């Protein structure tokens, strides 16, 4: 069975890219990365991709007159490499509505909170300021509205006394690295049905193996 | 050491009242229920309280000209029985700002979502409509704003394919019955410090035993 072809967009170290690279290194994983695109030429994630023998491209946004023309250049690279699903992994550019519509239901993002709580760039700080005792991460299909769209996978972690943004971010990141490959796997296996603003996950026997599951001690 | 005296407000079956009754039946539990107040004379929770030998009172809101006069009557009952902490357990009346201020930091509520997600009366339906893959419950200190206030305890549960409001509510309810007694215990043991809008939980050795903890399979 052919593997789902991924295009991964990054701007920096792309630790979630590394998690995807590791998953795709397993031949039984139903997806492969065909291209990593960065809007910054010095993104550390490019080195990781090259080290894994994955094609890379740099599309620097400074060279384009507006958001959509930049996005069209990224789109051309993705299409040229045969990408079927776009994975955002620390990509620090807002996507144009043209791009989001062109890749409708085929762009995936990860956000470090249990959406719809704590949208935006400072999710960890928001969780701590709110005194939340649980936070986590969410993999979702990208819509025009930021940090919204059908939810694919979520995982929860405790917020501990004394946590600062860094310690909470590190704890959530370990979950991100499990959730992102899981979400890609579910899509690649055809188990995700998008129904408007929600994603229905089809699992044999109605199991909950798609959930990074909380359990109680 | 004297046990913390609880006044529990109910309007119906009060399943969380039953969880508190069960916890308080253990002599080593640091709290006891001194009064159960219902605004409805036919609330099933009154029977459970009486069966456990707990004093009950009915304050029917129909007899009062406004919210605050009703709340003052409830207040008088609570004070008369020596209550030190007010626990809302399915109490279906909005409390006046007078009551909330008078019992500042001494009113606890439980809400069937991971706040700040899904505030309001239809939390389960909201979680399903949003396609959330995790939901849960939150025990918090009551503030004038609905379903806001310092968070004491949270627990997460999966939202499964095929869940309806009832099945999700039942799953969350099992967590509610663990979280509410735990939150009361933490307060009774003096481990909760309210700092503005957040609750800091003081645990010996910085453990996380106060969290109904998610773990990953």
């Amino acid at each position: 069975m052919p593997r789902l072809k991924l295009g991964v967009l990054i701007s920096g170290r792309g630790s979630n890219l590394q998690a995807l690279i590791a998953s795709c290194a397993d031949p039984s994983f139903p997806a492969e990365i065909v291209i990593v695109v960065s809007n910054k030429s010095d993104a550390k994630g490019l080195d990781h991709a090259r080290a894994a023998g994955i094609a890379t491209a740099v599309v620097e946004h400074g060279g384009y007159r507006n958001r959509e023309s930049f996005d069209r250049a990224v789109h051309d690279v993705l299409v040229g490499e045969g990408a079927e699903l776009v994975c955002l992994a620390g990509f620090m550019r807002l996507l144009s509505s043209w791009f989001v519509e062109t890749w409708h239901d085929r762009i995936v993002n990860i956000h470090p909170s249990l959406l719809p709580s704590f949208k935006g760039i400072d999710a960890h700080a928001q969780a701590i300021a709110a005194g939340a005792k649980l936070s986590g991460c969410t993999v979702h299909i990208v819509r025009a509205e930021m940090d919204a769209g059908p939810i694919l996978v979520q995982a929860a972690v405790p917020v501990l006394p004394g946590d600062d943004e860094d310690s909470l971010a590190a704890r959530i990141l370990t979950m991100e690295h499990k959730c992102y490959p899981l979400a890609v796997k579910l899509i690649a296996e055809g188990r995700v049905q998008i129904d408007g603003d929600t994603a229905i996950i089809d699992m044999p026997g109605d199991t909950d193996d798609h959930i990074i599951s909380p359990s109680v001690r």
Side-chain angles (χ1 to χ4, degrees), chain A:
Chain A
M1 194 171 141
R3 303 169 85 188
L4 184 70
K5 293 179 168 54
L6 311 179
V8 184
L9 307 193
I10 64 170
S11 295
R13 64 178 171 155
S15 80
N16 278 304
L17 165 63
Q18 291 179 63
L20 290 171
I21 289 173
S23 294
C24 293
D26 177 349
S28 72
F29 191 78
E32 62 181 326
I33 302 171
V34 294
I35 183 72
V36 172
V37 182
S38 174
N39 64 319
K40 295 190 173 178
S41 60
D42 60 351
K44 288 282 183 295
L46 292 169
D47 300 332
H48 297 299
R50 290 181 195 119
I54 297 168
T56 62
V58 174
V59 183
E60 289 183 296
H61 53 262
Y64 297 88
R65 69 182 190 286
N66 60 29
R67 198 179 299 282
E68 184 175 319
S69 61
F70 167 78
D71 284 359
R72 284 183 183 271
V74 172
H75 170 83
D76 289 345
V77 172
L78 292 167
V79 170
E81 300 290 339
E84 300 165 301
L85 182 73
V86 177
C87 299
L88 308 183
F91 184 65
M92 300 303 286
R93 299 273 301 170
L94 281 178
L95 294 166
S96 62
S97 56
W98 174 83
F99 189 93
V100 173
E101 286 312 309
T102 300
W103 290 84
H104 186 72
D105 287 351
R106 294 185 297 146
I107 313 171
V108 180
N109 185 40
I110 189 161
H111 181 77
S113 77
L114 292 172
L115 291 174
S117 287
F118 314 133
K119 298 181 179 188
I121 55 167
D122 54 352
H124 307 104
Q126 288 181 57
I128 290 170
K133 299 297 180 271
L134 288 178
S135 191
C137 62
T138 302
V139 187
H140 65 95
I141 299 288
V142 170
R143 292 284 186 258
E145 184 191 342
M146 187 171 68
D147 299 328
I151 293 172
L152 301 169
V153 172
Q154 294 187 300
V157 305
V159 183
L160 299 182
D163 262 341
D164 59 17
E165 287 181 55
D166 290 344
S167 60
L168 179 59
R171 194 174 306 119
I172 291 176
L173 202 59
T174 62
M175 289 296 96
E176 293 180 40
H177 296 166
K178 295 171 192 286
C179 289
Y180 215 151
L182 175 58
V184 168
K185 180 172 184 283
L186 291 169
I187 292 170
E189 291 177 346
R191 300 192 185 282
V192 175
Q193 178 196 335
I194 306 295
D195 180 12
D197 286 333
T198 63
I200 298 159
I201 313 294
D202 170 39
M203 294 299 293
D206 202 29
T207 61
D208 61 346
D209 287 345
H210 63 295
I211 294 172
I212 305 287
S213 179
S215 64
V216 173
R217 294 190 290 208

